[in-house]
Amino acid sequence: MKRVFSGIQPTGNIHLGNYLGAVKNWVDAQDKKENFFCIVDLHSLTVPQDPDELRFQTRALAAMLLACGIDPDKSTLFIQSHVKAHAEGAWLLNCVTPLGWLQRMTQFKDKSAKQESVLTGLLTYPILMAGDIIFYDADEVPVGDDQKQHVELTRDIAQSFNGRFSQPFFTIPKPIIPVVGARVMGLDGPAAKMSKSSADKRGHAIRLLDEPKEIMRSFKRAVTDSGREIIFSDAPEKAGVNNLLGIYKAVTGKNKEDVIADFANARGYGDLKVGVAEVVIDMLAPIRAKYGQLMEDPAELDRLLAIGATQANAVAQPKVDEMKRIMGLVVP
Ligand code: AMP
Ligand code: TRP
């Protein structure tokens, strides 16, 4: 079975795009792959965070992923900082990675250009990420386009380590980029994708914790066009309708013909919007309920996270210990 490593930062509001474009795929792939889902709290520290808020968001994301169907009996879900090998191994990788490789990263260049004072962690962020992946010998890393360069750097680091210590020690991972068709666009303007950073803007996103009334309101306000044709289309003016149909298709799992048939009697976009809102509300209701249960039962959430951390530690710590030995450290 292929081993997959996914990392998610515990910052920002998780929305329908995250769910349909990423989380749902992880849930559906649990039987086909060996999955490690890591909430990368150490990565979030590379920009200033409010401590209480970070702690809350980390637990909230864990509860949300479990509520969405990540099954601890099938997958390993854990918090990065609970597994000490990540921080420990990252130091070792720091000592074999040329500075120039990090300075070339476009995300570092973009983010550091926007800040007056840049933390060292922002520069070495991709090293921590490389460790996440290679300490588990992951074969596949599902990431958005923006993270592809970091996975390529991970491959370079792993290859150079293998070459230098002349043994095939680390597995060389492959980035898996989701198909563009799976993109959910903003409801307030279908030219831009639904994004975490705009998730709190009125009418832009459906957040997974939104109340049914709020969801209905956001869909009713969704930007469409002045026509009345309910069709899948790549035409820019149909982007709004196309997005609504795409959401309906992803939620129901129906094919395009059946989706269109469901709206054959619609009297206009109003009916389409209500129809889409209803399936989304029905899909999210049990997720919200499960999330609520887990957040009200911190002991149960801690128990599940401890199982995940134990499983992850059993893979990553021996790998990092072996790495230390290879590099010349005395391992007790
Ligand atoms: P981010 O919100 O950028 O941290 O992304 C987390 C995951 O959700 C990544 O796998 C993204 O590719 C996916 N994702 C984010 N926004 C969307 C969207 N609007 N449509 C589909 N997938 C998305
Ligand atoms: N850098 C990724 C992001 O910002 C998160 C991440 C950290 C990650 N470690 C990872 C993703 C390992 C995949 C594998 O989205």
Side-chain angles (χ1 to χ4, degrees), residues 5-7 9 40 43 125 129 132-133 141 143 147:
F5 193 102
S6 304
Q9 291 208 42
V40 293
H43 276 100
Y125 175 115
M129 176 163 164
D132 295 344
I133 298 164
V141 186
V143 282
Q147 296 296 317

Side-chain angles (χ1 to χ4, degrees), residues 8-9 11 15-23 26 142-146 178 182-186 193-196:
I8 321 127
Q9 291 208 42
T11 42
H15 54 70
L16 190 63
N18 296 133
Y19 180 75
L20 295 176
V23 180
W26 301 341
V143 282
D145 229 6
D146 60 323
R183 264 192 172 190
V184 177
M185 311 309 281
K193 74 168 194 174
M194 193 177 281
S195 80
K196 271 184 187 163

